[in-house]
Amino acid sequence: MSVSAPVKASDRPKLLGLDRAGLEALFVSWGEPRFRASQVLQWLHARQVSDFAQMSNVSKALRARLEESCETGELEVLREQLAADGTRKWLLGLSDGNAIETVFIPEEERGTLCISSQVGCSLACSFCATGAQGLSRNLETHEIIAQIRVARRVLGLDAISNVVFMGMGEPLLNLKQVLPAIRLLLDDYGYGLSSRRVTVSTAGVLPGLAQLGRESPVNLAISLHATRDDIRDELVPINRHYPLAELLLACRAYPLPPRRRITFEYVMLEGVNDQDQHARELVRLLAGIPALVNLIPFNPFPESRYRRSSPAR
């Protein structure tokens, strides 16, 4: 096999961002057999190896070419915070100077990693600190997957049982990068997660919702937060484009796998969406939909005009 000229660092493929089909295409273009994709997937993701020299069942020639032509696409940890309940939050630096957040939430029977899909967010939900900062750009697939590697490096390879696209950003506005990341999460040679263990949370971007339903069997979560259009228009401005009636119609038509439910997230805001009539309206709205309602305490941030509902409320 001929040796190619070195590739500039900025042009090197980021291997963490290539799903099985992407790796197969790369190796075939190099004259390598397709099965190399399974080998490299397993080293990169299942075993979390970054040093190509350790990939012992890959030929020396291919390891050398990977070294000179590719990079994994790791992220830098800028800050780590550990809460008393074991929750960990990482601020991760990107190559362009931006930063994103990733959060691990430990529970008795599972460990959930909340990952970001964008730098910031364009939806400007009025109760969300990320929405207040606006959107910088979409994340690349390798930047999505690299968040998982950071957490596994700290917590261990088996600590993460569930992954939720519920960090910074609206994942359905970045499906071009999110769908390959999901495929890596589900690939037996990647992270080997069950589709029941991966959830995509959306504020209700209906074109993306339809595409997700067609192309991926993962769990769906809807950031609902209100039972009336006038309230939701304020809390979740995208509701002005895709109002409640259209959103719930799309949820009823969503191709749920057997025995699955749609999770409806509802941030509790004192005096805004937490009254008895809102609870009754919520029951009416979700009638006929296999649903789980997740009531979320509001997390105040500077300059927010909202207050958290009381525990009793």
Side-chain angles (χ1 to χ4, degrees):
M1 183 174 63
S2 62
V3 178
S4 58
V7 180
K8 291 189 302 182
S10 60
D11 297 330
R12 292 180 179 182
K14 308 296 191 294
L15 294 182
L16 293 183
L18 297 181
D19 61 7
R20 177 179 296 276
L23 276 176
E24 286 181 350
L26 176 66
F27 291 144
V28 167
S29 74
W30 288 357
E32 295 283 346
R34 291 181 183 274
F35 72 80
R36 294 297 189 200
S38 293
Q39 293 176 324
V40 174
L41 276 172
Q42 191 170 44
W43 284 111
L44 281 174
H45 303 290
R47 299 177 180 176
Q48 192 140 326
V49 168
S50 300
D51 183 357
F52 300 123
Q54 295 182 31
M55 300 181 181
S56 56
N57 61 349
V58 176
S59 69
K60 289 184 178 180
L62 180 54
R63 279 182 268 165
R65 186 160 189 182
L66 287 169
E67 182 68 38
E68 74 174 16
S69 302
C70 302
E71 57 186 87
T72 54
E74 309 280 353
L75 299 183
E76 178 188 3
V77 177
L78 302 178
R79 185 169 68 245
E80 180 180 5
Q81 294 176 301
L82 176 61
D85 64 358
T87 297
R88 289 180 184 265
K89 180 185 291 186
W90 294 275
L91 182 69
L92 304 177
L94 309 179
S95 60
D96 62 358
N98 279 304
I100 55 173
E101 287 188 345
T102 304
V103 179
F104 176 74
I105 303 170
E107 297 177 82
E108 187 171 336
E109 296 184 352
R110 63 182 179 181
T112 300
L113 190 69
C114 298
I115 61 176
S116 297
S117 56
Q118 296 179 308
V119 183
C121 186
S122 63
L123 297 190
C125 296
S126 59
F127 59 88
C128 177
T130 301
Q133 75 181 55
L135 176 70
S136 295
R137 66 171 175 87
N138 287 331
L139 290 182
E140 300 290 330
T141 300
H142 74 273
E143 294 168 325
I144 296 172
I145 292 296
Q147 297 172 67
I148 301 164
R149 291 173 71 83
V150 167
R152 293 172 92 213
R153 189 163 60 242
V154 174
L155 303 168
L157 297 185
D158 298 323
I160 298 166
S161 63
N162 295 65
V163 174
V164 183
F165 287 81
M166 201 184 292
M168 297 171 69
E170 166 55 62
L172 297 193
L173 291 177
N174 189 22
L175 276 177
K176 183 178 179 181
Q177 307 297 330
V178 166
L179 286 171
I182 291 174
R183 290 193 287 269
L184 285 167
L185 292 174
L186 304 185
D187 195 303
D188 286 341
Y189 285 85
Y191 296 89
L193 293 177
S194 162
S195 61
R196 293 178 175 273
R197 299 284 188 170
V198 179
T199 300
V200 173
S201 175
T202 175
V205 181
L206 296 194
L209 186 64
Q211 183 182 354
L212 179 70
R214 289 192 305 269
E215 299 188 25
S216 183
V218 297
N219 292 326
L220 174 66
I222 301 291
S223 295
L224 191 66
H225 310 309
T227 58
R228 304 174 189 171
D229 280 323
D230 59 334
I231 300 175
R232 197 165 191 266
D233 285 350
E234 175 190 343
L235 299 180
V236 187
I238 199 173
N239 191 72
R240 299 164 191 166
H241 298 282
Y242 307 113
L244 280 168
E246 294 181 20
L247 174 59
L248 293 170
L249 186 64
C251 289
R252 288 185 168 87
Y254 192 80
L256 277 176
R259 297 181 299 280
R260 300 278 188 94
R261 294 180 290 179
I262 298 175
T263 298
F264 290 89
E265 297 153 356
Y266 200 99
V267 169
M268 298 287 286
L269 304 171
E270 185 180 69
V272 176
N273 65 355
D274 66 346
Q275 303 305 297
D276 286 357
Q277 66 266 29
H278 298 138
R280 289 190 289 268
E281 289 167 357
L282 186 59
V283 172
R284 177 181 55 81
L285 281 177
L286 301 185
I289 300 175
L292 170 68
V293 177
N294 182 20
L295 300 181
I296 303 172
F298 172 60
N299 187 23
F301 58 92
E303 301 181 7
S304 171
R305 61 183 183 274
Y306 300 113
R307 292 181 295 182
R308 178 184 295 184
S309 301
S310 68
R313 184 70 260 172

